[in-house]
Amino acid sequence: MKRLVPLVCSLLLSCTKPTTAPTTPVDAGEPVTSRGTEAAIPDAGSATPDAGTSATARTDAGTQGAPTARCSASDLSPEPKPTQPPVPEAVDSMRRRIMAAAVACDYEGLAALTREKGMAFKASFGDVTDVAGYWHELETSRGQPVLAQMVKLLNLPYARLGDLYVWPSVHRENATDADWKAVEAVYPPEQLAQMRQAGTGYLGLRLGILSNGHWQFALAGD
């Protein structure tokens, strides 16, 4: 019996002795990850919506869709009245497109029309290089309904000055009472009366289109 005790103890120690499992070296260049717990990596091709952008894209010139903002011309019709006598096709095409862009409150579209022929355009007697920004400022900051004025004036009688077609017809020498009366649809009679009394002639907005369809100016003042 005394001989069995040491043998039993020896067997117990051999059963409970910890064993060290062999380890395989990990390549330092490979990241160690836990399977099943990796966070999903977004696909680079999927975009996350920017909190600062609108779900509705702004419409540029030539694109379809509803305008993103209102302006003074929003409630006017873009359909022009026939001119008497008829103007050249290129002139009428530009006139129609100016009206359509103005009613759509499309400042960039209007600016694109001024550059279409690659010729000079004048929007002010000052130094204006960004006509879209200039008209937008007149509308939103200065309270001048320049887009509505464009649409209304292009529906009035015009005057032909050589190769240039000018709206309204009152912007010419020896303008008649009928010429002045027509522009009352755009400007208050009192304001027009002051122009006549001062002898300055018509100083409101006027638009000029050359016979080749180039939009040459949209000017007010002197």
Side-chain angles (χ1 to χ4, degrees), residues 93-107:
S93 172
M94 178 57 71
R95 169 177 169 253
R96 287 173 174 273
R97 288 182 290 151
I98 293 171
M99 294 177 67
V103 170
C105 308
D106 189 354
Y107 297 93

Side-chain angles (χ1 to χ4, degrees), residues 103-130:
V103 170
C105 308
D106 189 354
Y107 297 93
E108 293 296 336
L110 287 167
L113 292 175
T114 69
R115 301 187 298 266
E116 188 173 278
K117 297 291 184 181
M119 301 169 67
F121 174 83
K122 200 167 185 64
S124 169
F125 290 104
D127 185 18
V128 173
T129 56
D130 178 11

Side-chain angles (χ1 to χ4, degrees), residues 39-63:
I41 301 175
D43 184 356
S46 62
T48 302
D50 185 350
T53 59
S54 170
T56 304
R58 290 184 177 275
T59 55
D60 295 326
T63 61

Side-chain angles (χ1 to χ4, degrees), residues 83-92 94-95 98 153-154 156-169 171-172 206-218:
T83 55
Q84 296 297 334
V87 296
E89 182 179 349
V91 176
D92 193 52
M94 178 57 71
R95 169 177 169 253
I98 293 171
L153 290 171
L154 287 172
L156 297 181
Y158 68 91
R160 182 177 178 182
L161 307 176
D163 200 34
L164 183 67
Y165 294 79
V166 181
W167 282 265
S169 60
H171 184 59
R172 61 177 173 178
R206 53 266 190 198
L207 299 91
I209 304 175
L210 291 174
S211 59
N212 67 352
H214 171 58
W215 185 10
Q216 191 175 62
F217 62 80

